[in-house]
Amino acid sequence: MKKITLLLGCLLAIVELYAQSISTHSTRLNDNWEFVRADLGGIWEAVRPVKAGRPETVPLWQEVSLPHCFNATDAVNPYENYYQGVGWYRTALEIQNPYKNGRTLLHFEGAGQKTAVYIGTEKVGEHVGGYDEWILDISDYISKTNTLEALSKKYGKQVPLSIKCDNSRDLEMIPSDLSDFNVYGGLYRYVNLIYVPENYIYQVHTTARISEDESGKVALDIALEGANGEASNLEIVVKNSKGKVVYKAAIESEQQRIHHEFQLKEIERWSTTDPNLYHLVIKNKVVGGEQVYRDQFGFRTFRFEKNGPFYLNGERFLIRGTHRHEDHAGVAAAMTEDLIRQEMQLMKEMGVNFIRLGHYQQSRIVLNLCDSLGILVWEEIPWCRGGLGGETYREQARRMLKNMIAQHYNHPAVIIWGLGNENDWPGDYPEFDKQKIRTFMSELNAIAHALDNERKTGIRRCDFCSDIVDVYSPSIWAGWYRGKFIDYEAVSYERMQQVDHFFHMEWGGSSHAGRHDENPDQGLENVQAGQGADERAGDASLVGGTARVSRDGNWSETYICNLFDWHLRTQSEMPWLTGAAQWAFKDFSTPVRPENPVPYMNQKGVIQRDFTKKESYYVFQSYWTDKPMAHIYGHSWEMRWGAAGANRMVKVYSNCAEVELFLNGKSMGTKKRDNKVFPACGLFWTIPFQAGPNELLAIGQKDGTKVRDTVQFYYQTKAWGAPDHFVMHEQAIDEQYSWLEVRLLDKDKSVCLDAKNKVVFSIIGDAKLIKDQGTPHGSQKVELRNGVAKIKVRRQSSTYTTAVKSEGLPTAILNGLEQEKM
């Protein structure tokens, strides 16, 4: 484990050193910001003097740091629509450009959704689109701000910078507000202050091809900005993954667009197991200094066989994927670099070799990590649902496609440019014209191939456009939105034959973390096999329509682990399959699911919104990883139930050849792993538990390494009756925080272990609930998990009272922690 951690740390360090950068004089503007979530009467309100002793000045600003999303918590507030409107940010810049006649740039890595930028009272630029990067040259405006020095003692000689972000609903923007994710607002990615020379390298496209003799051909297309009539003197250095210089060249040119080619005799290929990267440094020599451009690239080949598998570097390769939304508990889209690294690490440790970035261009940090960790990428523009708007709408889609390809062209991880998602979903306009959608999809397809003929194009779920793109994914949700999971292989084979290149994006289902079931198929008797597996209108609703697991199931982790297990076992036995990507890696917020067990959350993740792993994470690990692992299902299953002496199933998810299970110290026998056996590849036991406390121990061995896992639980043999009342308990975590837990009991004080009532926590006094996190343990309103729910409390003193209520049941009340002890 230590060796793997050190290796991963080295890879991440390389990312930081060689991340795309046009200058060494670049600073993240993270601190000293103020924010107000409202519109202003005018820009003067952002920069006017604030005099001491004048508290009547409005509006009131709050101090924030970047990245910052002004929907950090309201997106999952169960009692209100999330804010869609204007938010303002302001700070002051101290300009210290080291270059003679140098240019000063503001680089936005992404801001939502419409953005306007002001220096002093003057607008210097604007951008429409919440996910692509953009740069503003503010050099000519800074010289004008000398007259602003008298405006405020607060700013002094610094330059006032104000930024307006707006995520208001707009039918002429992508993505649609009908999308199954929040359209966030704010400066939720990094903003950088960059200094460059008067004539500077703006962008470099690197095309790396492999010749028949295994040598590498590299073409650099260098774009310079700010022509001053002088020749550019460039020094090019390329190093391999070990840091050895493999190419050097000097170029002198008066052109603003420079094309340069060279050849490398011996190359290291990039792959998901050996993500070898070449590091490019271009020094732009200028009077009194130099600009340094840094980037990375890799050599690899790939192809999709017609009606057949995928090949990476000439070898058949099964794509094992997932999806990512930029969303996290407590911050929404404003994920820091550390949070992004942690999430990508968790994906890699689960065995992922592919990720679809849904449904928009994501942070450059994500793409750099995919390069360094060895994760293939499908990245797409946010043309998602709603239909097709007018020319303003279409121009934004074109622009975002061009920007995405231009900005992420150099990443070897990227293999597919996505042109849209669920474009067969109407609703934003009176007209829904399939032919017009086809025409525009064809236009986008042509743009993508004109800009990049090395990669493929793709879309998901728009059957009437399936023949336009290179790679197509139909809607297949066997065992969730339609049919049973045993339908998966037959449906997939049928759909594969209808297109040249089939790739299964989005499969899986939802689970309420911490909910388990001794009989996960109970209540699904009316769900019919052989009825197809596509998602249809209304299937995501929890009411109406035909029988389906998404409506009639209990969203237990038990069922979803079985579904994942069946799919993964089946996929490994489908020789024609290119690959598939489970939807989605992490639970994420959505405005269209207010009645889910955690309101406003899409709970299809294998980890929770705060990185807590669900049981299903280990199902994937057991199929996709090589490092020895064993995991007994049910670490959060505190109480199991059944008749005394009844056999109960124990599953162990493991990649070991064999596993021995012990119950209360006694061996239950050894099982051999067999990929053809379901569930858990045969690593399951049906055994009786003793009433009361029990302990399970699993021991596996692989490649000479032993792994073990233990679980403790209580086995309840007494049947429970109808829900009658709640009991609450508060358990201190530390001096500041507590867990507030509620259990639903019957009249005889037995926990109702199948109860899934919705409960609402409240508090009054010197404490507050840690709520609006979008997790089962961080939501004020939430469904019970096996009769239990909990939430964290932050205490200021012992003077507070907590309560929990649920429709049809008496409200339970509990005084503060210290009062309870007294």
CSV table of all heavy atoms in Angstrom, one decimal, residues 103-139:
chain,number,residue,atom,x,y,z
A,103,ARG,N,1.5,42.3,-20.8
A,103,ARG,CA,0.1,42.3,-20.8
A,103,ARG,C,-0.3,41.6,-19.5
A,103,ARG,O,0.3,40.7,-19.0
A,103,ARG,CB,-0.5,41.4,-21.9
A,103,ARG,CG,0.1,41.8,-23.3
A,103,ARG,CD,-0.2,43.3,-23.7
A,103,ARG,NE,-1.6,43.6,-23.8
A,103,ARG,CZ,-2.1,44.8,-24.1
A,103,ARG,NH1,-1.3,45.8,-24.2
A,103,ARG,NH2,-3.4,44.9,-24.3
A,104,THR,N,-1.5,42.1,-18.9
A,104,THR,CA,-2.0,41.6,-17.7
A,104,THR,C,-3.4,40.9,-18.0
A,104,THR,O,-4.2,41.5,-18.6
A,104,THR,CB,-2.2,42.7,-16.6
A,104,THR,OG1,-1.0,43.3,-16.3
A,104,THR,CG2,-2.9,42.1,-15.4
A,105,LEU,N,-3.5,39.6,-17.7
A,105,LEU,CA,-4.6,38.8,-18.1
A,105,LEU,C,-5.4,38.3,-16.8
A,105,LEU,O,-4.8,38.0,-15.8
A,105,LEU,CB,-4.2,37.6,-18.9
A,105,LEU,CG,-3.2,37.8,-20.0
A,105,LEU,CD1,-2.8,36.5,-20.7
A,105,LEU,CD2,-3.8,38.8,-21.1
A,106,LEU,N,-6.7,38.2,-17.0
A,106,LEU,CA,-7.5,37.4,-16.0
A,106,LEU,C,-7.9,36.1,-16.7
A,106,LEU,O,-8.5,36.2,-17.8
A,106,LEU,CB,-8.7,38.2,-15.6
A,106,LEU,CG,-8.5,39.4,-14.6
A,106,LEU,CD1,-9.8,40.2,-14.4
A,106,LEU,CD2,-7.9,38.9,-13.3
A,107,HIS,N,-7.6,35.0,-16.1
A,107,HIS,CA,-7.9,33.7,-16.7
A,107,HIS,C,-9.0,33.1,-15.8
A,107,HIS,O,-8.8,32.8,-14.6
A,107,HIS,CB,-6.7,32.9,-16.7
A,107,HIS,CG,-6.9,31.4,-17.1
A,107,HIS,ND1,-6.3,30.4,-16.4
A,107,HIS,CD2,-7.7,30.9,-18.0
A,107,HIS,CE1,-6.7,29.2,-16.9
A,107,HIS,NE2,-7.6,29.5,-17.9
A,108,PHE,N,-10.1,32.8,-16.4
A,108,PHE,CA,-11.3,32.2,-15.7
A,108,PHE,C,-11.3,30.7,-16.1
A,108,PHE,O,-11.5,30.4,-17.3
A,108,PHE,CB,-12.6,32.9,-16.0
A,108,PHE,CG,-12.7,34.3,-15.5
A,108,PHE,CD1,-12.1,35.3,-16.2
A,108,PHE,CD2,-13.4,34.6,-14.3
A,108,PHE,CE1,-12.2,36.6,-15.8
A,108,PHE,CE2,-13.4,35.9,-13.9
A,108,PHE,CZ,-12.9,36.9,-14.6
A,109,GLU,N,-11.2,29.8,-15.1
A,109,GLU,CA,-11.2,28.4,-15.4
A,109,GLU,C,-12.7,27.9,-15.6
A,109,GLU,O,-12.9,26.7,-15.9
A,109,GLU,CB,-10.5,27.6,-14.4
A,109,GLU,CG,-9.0,27.9,-14.4
A,109,GLU,CD,-8.2,27.0,-13.4
A,109,GLU,OE1,-8.7,26.0,-13.0
A,109,GLU,OE2,-7.1,27.4,-13.0
A,110,GLY,N,-13.6,28.7,-15.3
A,110,GLY,CA,-15.0,28.4,-15.4
A,110,GLY,C,-15.8,29.2,-14.4
A,110,GLY,O,-15.5,29.4,-13.2
A,111,ALA,N,-16.9,29.8,-14.8
A,111,ALA,CA,-17.8,30.6,-14.0
A,111,ALA,C,-19.2,30.5,-14.5
A,111,ALA,O,-19.5,30.5,-15.7
A,111,ALA,CB,-17.3,32.1,-14.0
A,112,GLY,N,-20.2,30.5,-13.6
A,112,GLY,CA,-21.5,30.2,-14.0
A,112,GLY,C,-22.5,31.4,-13.8
A,112,GLY,O,-22.5,32.0,-12.7
A,113,GLN,N,-23.4,31.6,-14.8
A,113,GLN,CA,-23.3,31.0,-16.1
A,113,GLN,C,-23.1,32.1,-17.1
A,113,GLN,O,-22.5,31.8,-18.1
A,113,GLN,CB,-24.7,30.3,-16.4
A,113,GLN,CG,-25.0,29.1,-15.5
A,113,GLN,CD,-24.2,27.9,-15.9
A,113,GLN,OE1,-23.9,27.5,-17.0
A,113,GLN,NE2,-23.6,27.2,-14.8
A,114,LYS,N,-23.5,33.3,-16.8
A,114,LYS,CA,-23.2,34.5,-17.6
A,114,LYS,C,-22.3,35.3,-16.7
A,114,LYS,O,-22.6,35.5,-15.5
A,114,LYS,CB,-24.4,35.3,-18.0
A,114,LYS,CG,-25.4,34.6,-18.9
A,114,LYS,CD,-26.6,35.4,-19.1
A,114,LYS,CE,-27.7,34.7,-19.9
A,114,LYS,NZ,-28.9,35.5,-20.1
A,115,THR,N,-21.2,35.9,-17.2
A,115,THR,CA,-20.3,36.6,-16.4
A,115,THR,C,-19.9,37.9,-17.1
A,115,THR,O,-19.6,38.0,-18.3
A,115,THR,CB,-19.0,35.8,-16.2
A,115,THR,OG1,-19.4,34.5,-15.7
A,115,THR,CG2,-18.1,36.4,-15.1
A,116,ALA,N,-19.9,39.0,-16.3
A,116,ALA,CA,-19.4,40.3,-16.7
A,116,ALA,C,-18.3,40.8,-15.7
A,116,ALA,O,-18.5,40.6,-14.5
A,116,ALA,CB,-20.6,41.3,-16.8
A,117,VAL,N,-17.3,41.4,-16.3
A,117,VAL,CA,-16.1,41.8,-15.5
A,117,VAL,C,-15.9,43.3,-15.6
A,117,VAL,O,-16.0,43.9,-16.7
A,117,VAL,CB,-14.8,41.0,-16.0
A,117,VAL,CG1,-13.6,41.4,-15.1
A,117,VAL,CG2,-15.1,39.5,-16.0
A,118,TYR,N,-15.7,43.9,-14.5
A,118,TYR,CA,-15.5,45.4,-14.4
A,118,TYR,C,-14.2,45.7,-13.7
A,118,TYR,O,-13.8,45.1,-12.7
A,118,TYR,CB,-16.6,46.0,-13.6
A,118,TYR,CG,-18.0,45.9,-14.2
A,118,TYR,CD1,-18.7,44.7,-14.1
A,118,TYR,CD2,-18.6,46.9,-15.0
A,118,TYR,CE1,-20.0,44.5,-14.7
A,118,TYR,CE2,-19.8,46.8,-15.5
A,118,TYR,CZ,-20.5,45.6,-15.4
A,118,TYR,OH,-21.8,45.4,-15.9
A,119,ILE,N,-13.4,46.7,-14.3
A,119,ILE,CA,-12.3,47.3,-13.7
A,119,ILE,C,-12.8,48.7,-13.3
A,119,ILE,O,-13.2,49.5,-14.2
A,119,ILE,CB,-11.1,47.4,-14.6
A,119,ILE,CG1,-10.6,46.0,-14.9
A,119,ILE,CG2,-10.0,48.2,-13.9
A,119,ILE,CD1,-10.0,45.2,-13.7
A,120,GLY,N,-12.8,49.0,-12.0
A,120,GLY,CA,-13.5,50.2,-11.6
A,120,GLY,C,-14.9,50.2,-12.0
A,120,GLY,O,-15.7,49.3,-11.7
A,121,THR,N,-15.4,51.3,-12.7
A,121,THR,CA,-16.8,51.3,-13.1
A,121,THR,C,-16.9,50.9,-14.6
A,121,THR,O,-18.0,51.1,-15.2
A,121,THR,CB,-17.3,52.7,-12.9
A,121,THR,OG1,-16.5,53.7,-13.6
A,121,THR,CG2,-17.4,53.1,-11.5
A,122,GLU,N,-15.9,50.5,-15.2
A,122,GLU,CA,-15.9,50.2,-16.7
A,122,GLU,C,-15.9,48.7,-16.9
A,122,GLU,O,-15.1,47.9,-16.4
A,122,GLU,CB,-14.6,50.8,-17.3
A,122,GLU,CG,-14.7,50.8,-18.8
A,122,GLU,CD,-13.7,51.7,-19.5
A,122,GLU,OE1,-12.9,52.3,-18.7
A,122,GLU,OE2,-13.6,51.8,-20.7
A,123,LYS,N,-16.9,48.3,-17.7
A,123,LYS,CA,-17.0,46.8,-18.1
A,123,LYS,C,-15.8,46.5,-19.1
A,123,LYS,O,-15.6,47.2,-20.1
A,123,LYS,CB,-18.3,46.5,-18.8
A,123,LYS,CG,-18.4,45.0,-19.2
A,123,LYS,CD,-19.6,44.7,-20.0
A,123,LYS,CE,-20.9,44.7,-19.2
A,123,LYS,NZ,-22.0,44.2,-20.0
A,124,VAL,N,-15.1,45.5,-18.8
A,124,VAL,CA,-13.9,45.1,-19.6
A,124,VAL,C,-14.2,43.8,-20.4
A,124,VAL,O,-13.4,43.5,-21.3
A,124,VAL,CB,-12.6,45.0,-18.8
A,124,VAL,CG1,-12.3,46.3,-18.1
A,124,VAL,CG2,-12.7,43.8,-17.8
A,125,GLY,N,-15.2,43.1,-20.1
A,125,GLY,CA,-15.5,41.9,-20.9
A,125,GLY,C,-16.6,41.1,-20.3
A,125,GLY,O,-17.0,41.3,-19.1
A,126,GLU,N,-17.1,40.1,-21.1
A,126,GLU,CA,-18.2,39.2,-20.6
A,126,GLU,C,-18.1,37.9,-21.3
A,126,GLU,O,-17.4,37.8,-22.3
A,126,GLU,CB,-19.5,39.9,-20.8
A,126,GLU,CG,-19.9,40.2,-22.2
A,126,GLU,CD,-21.2,41.0,-22.3
A,126,GLU,OE1,-21.8,41.2,-21.3
A,126,GLU,OE2,-21.5,41.4,-23.4
A,127,HIS,N,-18.7,36.9,-20.7
A,127,HIS,CA,-18.7,35.6,-21.2
A,127,HIS,C,-20.0,34.9,-20.9
A,127,HIS,O,-20.6,35.0,-19.9
A,127,HIS,CB,-17.5,34.8,-20.6
A,127,HIS,CG,-17.4,33.4,-21.2
A,127,HIS,ND1,-16.8,33.1,-22.4
A,127,HIS,CD2,-17.8,32.2,-20.7
A,127,HIS,CE1,-16.8,31.8,-22.6
A,127,HIS,NE2,-17.4,31.2,-21.6
A,128,VAL,N,-20.5,34.1,-21.9
A,128,VAL,CA,-21.7,33.3,-21.7
A,128,VAL,C,-21.3,31.8,-21.8
A,128,VAL,O,-20.6,31.4,-22.8
A,128,VAL,CB,-22.7,33.6,-22.8
A,128,VAL,CG1,-23.9,32.7,-22.6
A,128,VAL,CG2,-23.2,35.0,-22.7
A,129,GLY,N,-21.6,31.0,-20.8
A,129,GLY,CA,-21.3,29.6,-20.7
A,129,GLY,C,-20.5,29.3,-19.4
A,129,GLY,O,-19.5,30.0,-19.1
A,130,GLY,N,-21.0,28.4,-18.7
A,130,GLY,CA,-20.5,28.1,-17.3
A,130,GLY,C,-19.4,27.2,-17.2
A,130,GLY,O,-18.9,26.9,-16.0
A,131,TYR,N,-18.8,26.6,-18.3
A,131,TYR,CA,-17.9,25.5,-18.1
A,131,TYR,C,-16.6,25.6,-18.9
A,131,TYR,O,-15.7,24.8,-18.6
A,131,TYR,CB,-18.7,24.2,-18.5
A,131,TYR,CG,-20.0,24.1,-17.8
A,131,TYR,CD1,-21.2,24.3,-18.5
A,131,TYR,CD2,-20.1,23.8,-16.4
A,131,TYR,CE1,-22.4,24.3,-17.9
A,131,TYR,CE2,-21.3,23.7,-15.8
A,131,TYR,CZ,-22.5,24.0,-16.5
A,131,TYR,OH,-23.7,23.9,-15.9
A,132,ASP,N,-16.6,26.4,-20.0
A,132,ASP,CA,-15.4,26.5,-20.7
A,132,ASP,C,-14.5,27.7,-20.1
A,132,ASP,O,-15.0,28.5,-19.4
A,132,ASP,CB,-15.6,26.8,-22.2
A,132,ASP,CG,-16.7,27.9,-22.4
A,132,ASP,OD1,-17.4,28.2,-21.5
A,132,ASP,OD2,-16.8,28.4,-23.6
A,133,GLU,N,-13.2,27.6,-20.4
A,133,GLU,CA,-12.3,28.6,-19.9
A,133,GLU,C,-12.3,29.8,-20.8
A,133,GLU,O,-12.6,29.8,-22.0
A,133,GLU,CB,-10.9,28.0,-19.8
A,133,GLU,CG,-10.8,26.8,-18.9
A,133,GLU,CD,-9.3,26.4,-18.8
A,133,GLU,OE1,-8.4,27.1,-19.2
A,133,GLU,OE2,-9.1,25.3,-18.2
A,134,TRP,N,-11.9,31.0,-20.2
A,134,TRP,CA,-11.7,32.2,-21.0
A,134,TRP,C,-10.8,33.1,-20.4
A,134,TRP,O,-10.5,33.1,-19.2
A,134,TRP,CB,-13.1,32.8,-21.2
A,134,TRP,CG,-14.0,33.0,-20.0
A,134,TRP,CD1,-14.6,31.9,-19.4
A,134,TRP,CD2,-14.3,34.1,-19.3
A,134,TRP,NE1,-15.3,32.4,-18.3
A,134,TRP,CE2,-15.2,33.8,-18.3
A,134,TRP,CE3,-14.0,35.5,-19.5
A,134,TRP,CZ2,-15.7,34.7,-17.3
A,134,TRP,CZ3,-14.5,36.4,-18.6
A,134,TRP,CH2,-15.3,36.0,-17.5
A,135,ILE,N,-10.2,34.0,-21.2
A,135,ILE,CA,-9.2,34.9,-20.8
A,135,ILE,C,-9.6,36.4,-21.2
A,135,ILE,O,-10.0,36.6,-22.3
A,135,ILE,CB,-7.8,34.6,-21.4
A,135,ILE,CG1,-7.2,33.3,-20.7
A,135,ILE,CG2,-6.8,35.7,-21.2
A,135,ILE,CD1,-5.9,32.9,-21.3
A,136,LEU,N,-9.4,37.3,-20.2
A,136,LEU,CA,-9.6,38.7,-20.5
A,136,LEU,C,-8.2,39.4,-20.4
A,136,LEU,O,-7.6,39.3,-19.3
A,136,LEU,CB,-10.6,39.3,-19.5
A,136,LEU,CG,-12.1,39.2,-19.8
A,136,LEU,CD1,-12.9,39.9,-18.7
A,136,LEU,CD2,-12.4,39.7,-21.2
A,137,ASP,N,-7.9,40.2,-21.4
A,137,ASP,CA,-6.7,41.1,-21.3
A,137,ASP,C,-7.2,42.4,-20.7
A,137,ASP,O,-7.9,43.2,-21.4
A,137,ASP,CB,-6.1,41.3,-22.7
A,137,ASP,CG,-4.8,42.0,-22.7
A,137,ASP,OD1,-4.6,42.8,-21.7
A,137,ASP,OD2,-4.0,41.9,-23.6
A,138,ILE,N,-6.8,42.7,-19.5
A,138,ILE,CA,-7.2,44.0,-18.8
A,138,ILE,C,-6.1,45.1,-18.9
A,138,ILE,O,-6.3,46.1,-18.2
A,138,ILE,CB,-7.6,43.7,-17.4
A,138,ILE,CG1,-6.5,43.2,-16.6
A,138,ILE,CG2,-8.8,42.7,-17.3
A,138,ILE,CD1,-6.8,43.0,-15.1
A,139,SER,N,-5.1,44.8,-19.6
A,139,SER,CA,-4.0,45.8,-19.6
A,139,SER,C,-4.4,47.2,-19.9
A,139,SER,O,-3.9,48.1,-19.3
A,139,SER,CB,-2.9,45.3,-20.7
A,139,SER,OG,-2.6,43.9,-20.5
